Amino acid sequence: MLQPLFQKVAFIGLGLIGSSLARVIKQQHLAVEVVASTRSKQTLADAKALGLIDTGFSQAIDAVQGADLVVLALPVRATQQVLETIKPYLSKNVILTDVGSTKGNVVAAAAAVFPEGFPEGFVPGHPIAGAEHTGVHAGRADLFADHKVILTPLDSSAPWAVEKLTQLWQAARAEVICMDVQKHDEVLAHTSHLPHLMAFNLVEQLASRQDNYDIFRYAAGGFRDFSRIAASDPEMWHDIFFANKTAILNAVDGFEAQLKSLRQLIETDDSHALMGMLGHAQAARQHFNHMLAKKPLMEKNKVTQQFNILPGSHRFNGKFTIPGDKSVSHRSIMFGAIAEGTTQVSGFLEGEDALATLQAFRDMGVSIEGPKNGQVTIHGVGMHGLKAPVSALYMGNSGTSMRLLSGMLSAQQFDSVMTGDASLTKRPMERVAKPLRLMGAQIQTTGERGTPPVSMTGQQQLKGIHYDLPMASAQVKSGILLAALWAEGETSVTEPEPTRDHTERMLRAFGYEVKTEGNRISLQGGGKLTATHIQVPSDISSAAFFMVGAAICENADVTLEAVGINPTRTGIIEILKQMGADLTVENERIAGGEPIADIRIRGSRTLKGIHIPEDQVPLAIDEFPALFIAAACAEGQTILTGAAELRVKESDRIQVMADGLQTMGIQCTPTDDGIIIEGKGQANDWSDIFTGGEIESHHDHRIAMSFSMAGLRSSAPITIYGTETVATSFPTFTQLTTQAGFSIEVEENQ
Ligand code: NAP
């Protein structure tokens, strides 16, 4: 058996908090002996009957003798008097801690008792857990589980004491955080004391009205939720409000100022600003939750998920609107924010990457309404209207946001910092920081590999540069072009080969002149953007799954509306046509500077294998997993070369697809830069191709959606694991396949 952490633990005070900790200690045998001292004999008798203590003492001095841990679990105002009483009886190496809700006054009380210096075992603490009921019977062993405990070690606190207390609270399944005393009181004033004060205040306001009976009788959920904490112990809160007076008064001042400006927005009918404020608060609430939990923005990613697809005859018909393009969604927010006037965006992709961009601009004071069903309204602040964010901008997992914003933020009047999640924190940022420095930006990346966090120092006057991009990267090109909007003179970027040109097109849509001459793109700084309407085209990379599904399913007839057909992205259309698919591009038009069209695909002709032309590879790079499914259903061999990049996407897409195809009875040979697939199809024969099986998608959304389409031609069930990432790029995927007549069962695994 493990050694207990402590020999003798003495509680002074054994109510809700003390008795909960005593329960943990007893249940887990963390001490040889547990004793307590309280005011009333009854509490001690009850505690003994509940098995929480071995002995109860009416005098604190009797309890603390020989104890190696003393826990003050009583109202903070009693601290000084209790410490004075027990001081002569404390053991030399005792750990002395408390659980009080305020820390400055506990430390001040201890300082008065120990003028010669604190004992090195003195480590104040505060569990951020509680309940409305108090007393020894209200305690629970799981009260602290999944809650935080703040320890506020002093300069005099010994590391061994902090370490042992940490172990104790961790045994209670709490997360232990260390903080200095003043910080603790400031943070708690805002996050706990002010909300309690407001709850007491609101209930009092309503209770003092003549019609209070009716008000309470008809009170809706909002009142119930908001006022719940006003049922807390008045004595304790009376003490806390005085104990943390300075920090609480500051918090109340901040609240008054905020309330005044909210009042004024309503009084002056300032609908835009009010909407902006409410939207910002709502988004911040969600955002903070995720930041604190270090979880991705979208709740769905918490769970893993699988798709189950049953064999049988499937239909695949209908007209569909596929979710919006991610690259265009990002840019619509960025450009709408710095434009003059109000920009309406439709078809915005509500995936977590684009939401991170949206939040960043809210944090810089831009009023943004939505997104609601893909509609976003951005009240542009002009080229000089962005405000300094109060804290670091959190970009989640979005490399696009971080690289593009590096350019934009380098040119602002204020300092800024961008951070991201664990995966973004590993991605290189120097490739964009270097050219920005040449423009005069003060930009700093982190560590030897030049990764996030990225910091920008404001108030630099940037100058135009002429830059030869060492690698083909639309993100680096865009980062430079965005900084160039504020730079003196002309900036040009020359690309080794053409990359996606969404930035150039959308800048033009916002009325900004951008020249493209061969591979050289240039613009003059100092202009302005004018608000416009942006229809985000449907993402051709997402549409690709439906194109392939329709091409391999007999009698399918699918129309995908308003799909982006930017010439840098249309490889999928060309390749499917070369394989013999019945695919037409109809109703071509321009929206928000981007070419879009309706794409109709019919399952009227079986496919043929081809050697994919290498010049089409960069234009279809994200669509190959779907094309491999088409190739498996084609007659003869399909050969892909020149696509080594596929091995370093969200997964090694060549190997992962080859493994899955082989599992489902398809012969294929992965190569260094491509794959050879032996298609099992026969001319004019629509019988099943795949043998079913269990597929591991490696949490790669494109792999998951590609193998889903194989379900249209499978003789046995298919299970695809790790499909939760599908929601980030194509939140309506299974809903739309069901509408088409092909059902995919979604199973969530907690
Ligand atoms: P509680 O349930 O009311 O228990 C208080 C205990 O302290 C009782 O055992 C009481 O003795 C004893 N006590 C009171 N005055 C005393 C005195 N002058 N000398 C000796 N013992 C005395 O209170 P609690 O909720 O556990 O709160 C204890 C501490 O935890 C407070 O400092 C509070 O700020 C902090 N805290 C509370 C919460 C919460 O939600 N309740 C959360 C975090 C931290 P009797 O049993 O004889 O009355």
Side-chain angles (χ1 to χ4, degrees), residues 13-17 39-40 43 73-76 78 99-101 127 129-131 134-135 236:
L14 201 64
L16 171 72
I17 303 292
R39 287 174 308 187
S40 87
T43 305
L74 34 63
V76 279
V99 295
S101 305
T134 52
M236 180 173 113

Side-chain angles (χ1 to χ4, degrees), residues 89 157 263 274 286 500 511 535 556 586 644 653 664 737:
Y89 303 92
S157 304
R263 185 185 192 286
L274 179 62
Q286 293 164 350
R500 296 180 181 189
Q535 180 186 354
E586 300 165 359
R653 286 186 175 156
M664 295 214 288
T737 58

Side-chain angles (χ1 to χ4, degrees), residues 162 277 719:
V162 179
M277 200 211 98
T719 304

Side-chain angles (χ1 to χ4, degrees), residues 697-714:
S697 76
H698 292 262
H699 307 280
D700 182 337
H701 54 144
R702 299 206 196 283
I703 303 283
M705 289 186 272
S706 300
F707 280 114
S708 299
M709 290 302 151
L712 288 161
R713 297 281 292 276
S714 179

Side-chain angles (χ1 to χ4, degrees), residues 89-410:
Y89 303 92
L90 291 172
S91 311
K92 189 163 168 287
N93 283 330
V94 68
I95 296 178
L96 177 61
T97 190
D98 77 313
V99 295
S101 305
T102 52
K103 295 275 64 87
N105 64 326
V106 168
V107 175
V113 178
F114 298 100
E116 69 284 6
F118 299 116
E120 62 172 354
F122 178 46
V123 185
H126 176 199
I128 314 289
E132 278 89 60
H133 299 291
T134 52
V136 69
H137 292 282
R140 293 188 343 245
D142 63 354
L143 186 70
F144 312 110
D146 302 323
H147 284 77
K148 294 190 168 55
V149 169
I150 301 179
L151 296 181
T152 56
L154 310 168
D155 290 345
S156 55
S157 304
W160 55 263
V162 179
E163 174 58 32
K164 252 184 142 178
L165 276 178
T166 302
Q167 285 176 30
L168 171 65
W169 285 112
Q170 283 172 347
R173 294 197 284 132
E175 183 194 342
V176 178
I177 303 171
C178 286
M179 210 182 259
D180 76 43
V181 169
Q182 196 190 346
K183 182 87 189 157
H184 169 276
D185 285 358
E186 273 168 29
V187 169
L188 269 291
H190 285 90
T191 55
S192 168
H193 307 167
L194 179 65
H196 276 86
L197 183 141
M198 284 160 57
F200 283 118
N201 191 50
L202 176 76
V203 175
E204 179 60 16
Q205 181 190 341
L206 299 197
S208 337
R209 288 172 57 109
Q210 293 275 308
D211 55 353
N212 64 21
Y213 181 71
D214 278 347
I215 287 193
F216 286 106
R217 196 159 52 147
Y218 300 125
F223 174 76
R224 214 172 300 130
D225 290 347
F226 189 87
S227 64
R228 180 182 58 80
I229 49 180
S232 305
D233 181 16
E235 203 184 330
M236 180 173 113
W237 283 99
H238 159 274
D239 288 0
I240 290 174
F241 292 151
F242 284 126
N244 199 19
K245 185 171 176 174
T246 315
I248 289 176
L249 291 182
N250 282 338
V252 170
D253 289 346
F255 174 70
E256 267 178 9
Q258 183 67 36
L259 186 64
K260 212 167 147 195
S261 65
L262 180 60
R263 185 185 192 286
Q264 195 177 5
L265 296 184
I266 298 170
E267 191 173 32
T268 55
D269 292 322
D270 194 341
S271 150
H272 286 168
L274 179 62
M275 198 59 215
M277 200 211 98
L278 299 179
H280 184 252
Q282 181 212 35
R285 174 73 174 79
Q286 293 164 350
H287 199 61
F288 287 150
N289 267 353
H290 290 286
M291 278 175 80
L292 289 174
K294 296 198 187 76
K295 281 190 195 120
L297 280 170
M298 292 177 61
E299 282 293 338
K300 287 216 166 73
N301 281 11
K302 234 178 15 186
V303 291
T304 59
Q305 201 191 59
Q306 68 186 53
F307 286 172
N308 304 320
I309 304 165
L310 294 177
S313 63
H314 297 291
R315 274 190 313 112
F316 208 60
N317 294 322
K319 276 192 175 180
F320 302 102
T321 302
I322 302 290
D325 187 288
K326 188 160 83 169
S327 310
V328 178
S329 295
H330 278 301
R331 287 160 175 84
S332 69
I333 300 293
M334 295 179 187
F335 298 169
I338 56 167
E340 285 176 15
T342 301
T343 292
Q344 305 283 353
V345 180
S346 52
F348 180 80
L349 172 68
E350 295 177 38
E352 67 179 74
D353 286 9
L355 289 175
T357 295
L358 195 145
Q359 179 62 27
F361 281 91
R362 281 187 164 139
D363 289 347
M364 290 191 280
V366 181
S367 166
I368 303 176
E369 296 169 44
K372 205 170 194 182
N373 301 325
Q375 304 286 330
V376 183
T377 305
I378 308 155
H379 300 282
V381 295
M383 296 298 288
H384 303 288
L386 293 179
K387 295 204 183 84
V390 261
S391 54
L393 297 169
Y394 179 68
M395 309 282 53
N397 187 23
S398 178
T400 308
S401 315
M402 195 170 274
R403 295 209 175 99
L404 268 60
L405 282 184
S406 295
M408 216 184 232
L409 294 174
S410 291

